[in-house]
């Protein structure tokens, strides 16, 4: 199996061959964010697995340019049935640990932070390409769900505190 960043890199190379620099710029304009170091490590890993080829192009007064292309094996991996299987992960996160404290203030603050993030994403969505808009819509919907959950937690914890008092 391959990792998420490997899928993103291979998918971008399906369209056309690219340098690591070009890939980094393109990927960072998408919903996926990464560093150029991660991209170059991933390119090397994919090349070593036989999913990419690398052509070095000589340049005068500059380091050689490396142009990466997806191989037939890489195309097979990206189109494999395994990548079509959806996995839902339920994570233990900071919010779950704060429930143990029973203090609603964390969830009030979380709700406020979520509201700010939704506003930022809504603005970013305006100039985004259609695929990025879909990814942003997913993030916004997940944040809305978290926001509603925060309100529910605050109500529940506040009622518990009133009953205990």
């Amino acid at each position: 199996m391959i990792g998420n960043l490997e899928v993103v890199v291979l998918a971008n190379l399906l369209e056309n061959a690219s340098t690591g620099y070009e890939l980094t710029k393109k990927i960072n304009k998408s919903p996926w964010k990464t560093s150029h170091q991660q991209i170059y490590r991933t390119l090397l890993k994919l090349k070593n697995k036989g999913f990419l080829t690398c052509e070095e192009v000589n340049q005068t007064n500059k380091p050689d340019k490396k142009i990466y292309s997806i191989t037939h094996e890489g195309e097979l991996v990206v189109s494999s049935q395994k990548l079509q299987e959806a996995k839902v992960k339920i994570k233990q996160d900071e919010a779950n640990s704060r429930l143990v404290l029973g203090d609603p203030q964390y969830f009030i603050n979380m709700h406020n932070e979520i509201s700010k993030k939704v506003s930022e994403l809504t603005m970013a969505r305006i100039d985004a390409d259609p695929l990025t808009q879909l990814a942003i819509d997913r993030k916004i919907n997940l944040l809305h769900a978290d926001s509603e959950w925060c309100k529910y937690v605050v109500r529940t914890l506040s009622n518990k505190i009133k009953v205990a008092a």
Side-chain angles (χ1 to χ4, degrees):
M1 194 62 189
I2 63 173
N4 291 328
L5 182 55
E6 292 170 311
V7 171
V8 170
V9 168
L10 289 172
N12 277 280
L13 289 172
L14 281 171
E15 297 170 14
N16 54 31
S18 295
T19 65
Y21 176 76
E22 292 165 341
L23 270 173
T24 302
K25 282 179 33 180
K26 185 175 182 185
I27 289 170
N28 282 331
K29 287 181 182 175
S30 79
W32 194 271
K33 302 298 177 225
T34 188
S35 69
H36 66 277
Q37 292 96 338
Q38 288 175 304
I39 293 289
Y40 286 106
R41 281 193 301 267
T42 301
L43 287 168
L44 179 61
K45 190 175 179 182
L46 290 169
K47 182 177 171 263
N48 290 339
K49 289 181 177 181
F51 300 151
L52 300 180
T53 59
C54 178
E55 177 189 349
E56 291 195 25
V57 177
N58 293 326
Q59 300 186 107
T60 42
N61 301 325
K62 293 182 184 178
D64 292 346
K65 183 190 296 193
K66 292 181 179 180
I67 301 175
Y68 296 89
S69 301
I70 192 167
T71 63
H72 179 67
E73 291 80 13
E75 290 175 0
L76 290 175
V77 167
V78 173
S79 64
S80 76
Q81 184 85 21
K82 199 84 168 144
L83 286 182
Q84 306 308 317
E85 295 172 6
K87 294 180 183 137
V88 177
K89 293 182 182 179
I90 299 176
K91 60 183 181 175
Q92 298 224 34
D93 63 4
E94 187 176 283
N96 286 335
S97 71
R98 297 314 189 268
L99 280 172
V100 177
L101 296 173
D103 183 358
Q105 189 58 52
Y106 173 85
F107 301 97
I108 293 167
N109 295 341
M110 183 177 171
H111 180 269
N112 293 336
E113 288 302 311
I114 289 170
S115 296
K116 289 179 197 173
K117 189 64 179 172
V118 167
S119 294
E120 291 170 12
L121 287 168
T122 302
M123 294 303 296
R125 189 186 185 288
I126 294 169
D127 296 323
D129 63 85
L131 289 178
T132 301
Q133 286 180 345
L134 289 171
I136 290 171
D137 290 344
R138 179 173 186 257
K139 288 178 183 179
I140 289 172
N141 286 329
L142 290 170
L143 287 169
H144 280 305
D146 275 348
S147 175
E148 290 303 310
W149 179 77
C150 283
K151 290 191 265 185
Y152 172 70
V153 169
V154 168
R155 282 192 309 273
T156 302
L157 292 176
S158 296
N159 288 337
K160 183 179 177 184
I161 292 167
K162 289 177 188 170
V163 170

